[in-house]
Amino acid sequence: MIRKYIFGKPFNTEAIVSEIRTEEGELSYGKICTEKGFSFTYEMEDDDMVYGLGEANRGLNKRGYCYVSDCSDDPNHTEDKRSLYAAHNFIVVSGKENFGLFFDYPSVITFDIGYNRSSLLQVTCDAADLALYVIDGANAYDVVKQFRSIIGRSYIPPKFAFGFGQSRWGYKTREDFRKVAEGYRKNRIPMDMIYMDIDYMEGYKDFTLNEEHFPDFPEFVKEMKEQGIRLVPIIDAGVKVEEGYSVYEEGVKNRYFCQREDGSDFVAAVWPGDTHFPDVLNADARKWFGDNYRVLIDQGIEGFWNDMNEPAIFYSREGMEELKATLWKYVEENTETIPVWQLGDQIQGLANNHEDYKRFYHNVNGEKIRHDKVHNLFGYNMTRAAGEAFERIDPEKRFLMFSRSSYVGMHRYGGIWTGDNKSWWSHILLNLKMMPSLNMCGFLYTGADLGGFGADTTRDLVLRWLALGVFTPLMRNHSAIGTREQECYQFENTEDFRGIIETRYRLVPYLYSEYMKAALNNDMYFKPLAFVYPEDDFAVRVEDQMMIGNEIMIAPVYTQNAKGRYVYLPERMKFVKFSKNGQITEEVLEKGHHYVEIALNEVPVFIREGRCIPVAKAAETVEKLDTKHLELLGFEGAEYMLYEDDGVHKDYGNPENYTVLRK
C-alpha cells in the first residue's frame, strides 16, 4: 500500500509517474514537524535495518551514520563524506515494521540514521515543501518492488553496452584510440567500447571535435566499428562562452542558459574556462540541448556519458571577487604571520561553493526558480534532455547513456557510474555495496571505474576489481590522466586479464537476461542476501556477498594479498570458478560457512540449488556471441528462462524473446 502526503508547495520533480491520491491526517510511522523547516522522526528498534539512498557512502545497512542528499563534485570518497554525486531520497526500514519512505525534495536533505542517537531516524530539510510517499510492505523486498512500480521502467541500454569498455582521461588523438584498440585485439582480450574523455573536443566545447586530431570523424567511427568497437564520447554540463561557437550563440539568443537574478547569463568556470549552464529544467532549453546530441549521432555515435552535471563549478566570477577581498583582509590583519591553512580553505572553497548555487536561476513554466532550491535535479534533467532527444532522433533504437549526477526519475533515461573513485581496495567493497542500493532506486545500468580512477593502481587490484566488474551491467576500466596506465594489456601475464574478461562475455547471456527481467518487471538485478533469505539471521547481516538475478550469488575478493575468502551459503550451492583458457571447476558446497580459495585470475560464482545458468563461448564482442548453442552450468534437471532479443530495438514484449532451457 502506498500513501502520499503533501507539505507546503513542493516542486514537481517528475520522479513519480503513477497517480497516487493525497492523504490527509497522521502518518502511520513516525512524527512530522513543520515548525522550522521539515522534520520526520522515527524510533527504531535495536534490530531494525535501514536500506536505500542509492549512491551513498558506507554500508548496505545505512544505520549508524548521517547522509546528505546534495549532489557534489567530490572525488575523495572517504568514509567521512556524507554527500556524493547523486540524490536518491528513498529508504526502507526493515524489522518489526517494514515500510519505505520517499522524500521527493530536490534540495539539500539530511538523513540521520542513528548517528546523533542510535535509535533515532531523523530526516530534515530547510523548507517544508515536499511530497512524502509512505509504502507499507510485507518485507523490505516487497517495499522496494512497490516503489519501483511507481517511478517507471528502468532504462534499457543496447546489448553491446554489456560488453567491456576501456577509458582513460588523456586519449587525445586517433592514434591514441587505435593504440588501445590494437592492444586489446592483439592480446585477444574482448572489448566493445572505447570511451572518449574531454580531450576529443575542440577547446572542451560540447558537440565539437578537434579537427586536427579527428579530420574525418565519421570515417574514424566507421574504422572502429569495423573492428567491433564503438566510440562513446563524453558530454559536459557547461557550454563554453565563445563568440562564433554555435551552441553558445544559440543558447544566448534564445535565453536557454541559466541566468542571474538580473536576467544576465550566469557565468562559471569549468574545463573550457568561462561557461554557461543550459537551463535543463526549462522544457524548451532541454529540447534544444538534447537535440545537439544529433551532431555526433549523425557521425555514427551510438552512446554517450554525461559528466560534470551536479553541476560542477570550479569558481564563479562573484566567488573570485569575494576571495580577493578575503585574501587582502587576511594580509592586512596578519602582518607578521599569515594563517596559510585558512587561506587554503578559502581557495578550496571556491569550487562547488553553495553560495554560487544561489546566484543563478531556472525558468520553469515562466516561474523563476533559484538553483539551490532544485540543485539535485540538474544531472537528472541533463540526461533526460538526451533521452528525450534520442526518442525524437531514432525512436526505435536504444542508445547507450549514463551520467555522473542523478536523482530518482533519471533512471528512466540512463544509467550511472559511481564517479571518480580511487585505486583503493576499500573502493571495491564500496562498489559492491552500492549496487543493490542503486537498484532499489531504479538504477540498474550501473558500475564503477574498475581499477580505480584516481591514484596509481596495481596488477592485483585491477584483477580483483575486474572480477567484480564481470557482474556489473556497466563494465568499464577508467583512469585519470597522470596516473599509472591500467589498460589490461599493460600488465604482465596478460592471459589472466583475458580470462576474466572472457568470463564476462561467457556470462552475458545470463547477465543480459536477468537485467531485462529486472527492468521489465520492476525488480532488482543486484539483491542483498536479506531480500532472498529474510528468515536466515546470518544471511540478513551479510554485506559483502550479493545475489545477481534469481540463480547466482557472488562473493568477490576485495583485500590485498588474499588467497581466498570466507563465505556464508544460505543454502546448498554449486561453487563454480572460471579461469583462463575457458577452464571451469565445479564443486557442491553445503549450507553454512566455508573458506574458499580464489586465485587472482579466477572469477567465482555460486549457483543456487535446483538452478542453472546459460554460458556461451567467449567472443571478441557481444555481437559475435553464439547464443544459439549455450552450455548450462548448475544442477541437473534445472530449467532456465532465457530472455534474448536483438539488443538494438525496443520489442520487449514479444513472447518469442523467452526460451526455456533445460539441463
Side-chain angles (χ1 to χ4, degrees), residues 585-603:
T585 61
E586 302 179 63
E587 177 187 3
V588 174
L589 299 177
E590 298 301 322
K591 174 181 177 178
H593 297 273
H594 300 267
Y595 180 83
V596 293
E597 293 188 354
I598 303 166
L600 272 175
N601 60 6
E602 292 179 327
V603 178

Side-chain angles (χ1 to χ4, degrees), residues 59-70:
L60 182 56
N61 179 5
K62 296 298 188 289
R63 277 194 78 156
Y65 201 59
C66 187
Y67 310 85
V68 180
S69 287
D70 180 24

Side-chain angles (χ1 to χ4, degrees), residues 328-461:
W328 278 115
K329 182 179 179 182
Y330 273 125
V331 172
E332 290 173 353
E333 294 180 356
N334 298 275
T335 55
E336 296 182 7
T337 303
I338 297 176
V340 177
W341 63 90
Q342 291 181 349
L343 297 184
D345 290 342
Q346 291 289 328
I347 293 170
Q348 286 186 336
L350 270 179
N352 306 308
N353 188 330
H354 281 65
E355 290 304 308
D356 284 332
Y357 300 156
K358 300 176 183 178
R359 304 189 208 275
F360 64 99
Y361 291 76
H362 298 274
N363 176 7
V364 183
N365 300 321
E367 183 181 358
K368 188 181 288 187
I369 306 291
R370 202 173 72 187
H371 175 77
D372 63 314
K373 305 296 184 183
V374 290
H375 171 70
N376 292 336
L377 299 181
F378 193 93
Y380 160 21
N381 280 278
M382 179 185 173
T383 298
R384 177 182 176 182
E388 291 174 339
F390 299 157
E391 288 291 326
R392 295 189 295 271
I393 293 167
D394 195 340
E396 297 304 315
K397 182 176 179 177
R398 302 183 228 170
F399 289 84
L400 171 60
M401 167 54 69
F402 58 92
S403 170
R404 189 168 76 176
S405 184
S406 60
Y407 185 87
V408 172
M410 200 207 81
H411 70 285
R412 301 190 293 270
Y413 302 99
I416 67 169
W417 96 102
T418 56
D420 298 344
N421 59 11
K422 290 287 199 297
S423 296
W424 297 341
W425 288 91
S426 62
H427 277 185
I428 301 181
L429 183 57
L430 181 59
N431 179 183
L432 178 66
K433 291 181 178 182
M434 273 189 189
M435 294 297 101
S437 300
L438 286 164
N439 281 197
M440 293 176 201
C441 298
F443 293 91
L444 297 185
Y445 191 73
T446 56
D449 287 343
L450 304 176
F453 177 73
D456 289 333
T457 196
T458 60
R459 180 179 185 272
D460 56 343
L461 175 61

Side-chain angles (χ1 to χ4, degrees), residues 16-284:
I16 303 295
V17 297
S18 298
E19 288 292 333
I20 299 172
R21 182 173 59 88
T22 301
E23 300 281 342
E24 302 290 344
E26 297 290 323
L27 273 66
S28 304
Y29 311 99
K31 295 180 180 179
I32 299 288
C33 179
T34 57
E35 290 181 4
K36 295 181 180 179
F38 175 88
S39 174
F40 168 87
T41 57
Y42 175 79
E43 284 288 338
M44 297 181 288
E45 300 286 336
D46 289 346
D47 291 332
D48 281 352
M49 302 179 74
V50 180
Y51 299 106
L53 294 183
E55 184 186 286
N57 214 340
R58 299 199 171 210
L60 182 56
N61 179 5
K62 296 298 188 289
R63 277 194 78 156
Y65 201 59
C66 187
Y67 310 85
V68 180
S69 287
D70 180 24
C71 296
S72 303
D73 172 24
D74 185 343
N76 297 308
H77 307 166
T78 49
E79 284 193 25
D80 60 323
K81 295 302 169 67
R82 298 183 178 188
S83 303
L84 296 178
Y85 302 102
H88 303 144
N89 303 336
F90 173 60
I91 59 174
V92 181
V93 177
S94 177
K96 184 178 180 180
E97 298 177 309
N98 293 285
F99 63 95
L101 301 166
F102 175 52
F103 298 85
D104 196 0
Y105 182 77
S107 188
V108 177
I109 184 167
T110 299
F111 294 81
D112 179 338
I113 309 177
Y115 175 69
N116 280 304
R117 185 156 65 82
S118 60
S119 65
L120 188 66
L121 165 63
Q122 186 168 36
V123 182
T124 56
C125 53
D126 287 344
D129 296 303
L130 72 157
L132 171 59
Y133 296 82
V134 181
I135 306 172
D136 295 309
N139 50 48
Y141 189 20
D142 176 43
V143 170
V144 168
K145 287 192 282 189
Q146 289 187 65
F147 178 63
R148 292 283 307 283
S149 74
I150 65 172
I151 61 175
R153 177 186 290 170
S154 296
Y155 161 74
I156 296 175
K159 193 174 182 180
F160 75 77
F162 287 81
F164 172 73
Q166 179 61 55
S167 183
R168 181 173 172 84
W169 174 18
Y171 300 157
K172 295 183 179 181
T173 68
R174 288 181 301 177
E175 291 310 311
D176 290 335
F177 290 93
R178 285 170 175 155
K179 178 183 175 182
V180 175
E182 180 184 6
Y184 277 92
R185 293 295 181 244
K186 182 179 178 181
N187 286 283
R188 295 180 291 112
I189 303 172
M191 182 176 66
D192 271 85
M193 293 155 286
I194 303 178
Y195 292 84
M196 306 180 77
D197 212 318
I198 54 177
D199 292 309
Y200 80 90
M201 304 179 201
E202 177 193 339
Y204 306 125
K205 292 182 289 188
D206 282 341
F207 312 113
T208 68
L209 291 148
N210 185 313
E211 296 293 339
E212 179 184 351
H213 295 156
F214 302 98
D216 188 348
F217 190 62
E219 187 60 31
F220 182 58
V221 173
K222 180 181 176 183
E223 174 190 326
M224 289 290 103
K225 282 188 182 178
E226 287 173 351
Q227 298 181 53
I229 296 169
R230 287 172 168 85
L231 297 173
V232 183
I234 196 171
I235 302 293
D236 279 350
V239 172
K240 185 174 185 178
V241 174
E242 180 178 283
E243 297 296 330
Y245 170 34
S246 62
V247 180
Y248 162 74
E249 292 185 337
E250 288 172 9
V252 170
K253 177 183 176 182
N254 294 294
R255 311 295 282 162
Y256 286 153
F257 294 123
C258 294
Q259 297 167 4
R260 298 184 180 93
E261 189 171 15
D262 65 6
S264 62
D265 292 326
F266 177 69
V267 180
V270 200
W271 295 118
D274 283 352
T275 65
H276 295 327
F277 294 128
D279 185 1
V280 288
L281 273 68
N282 177 327
D284 292 336

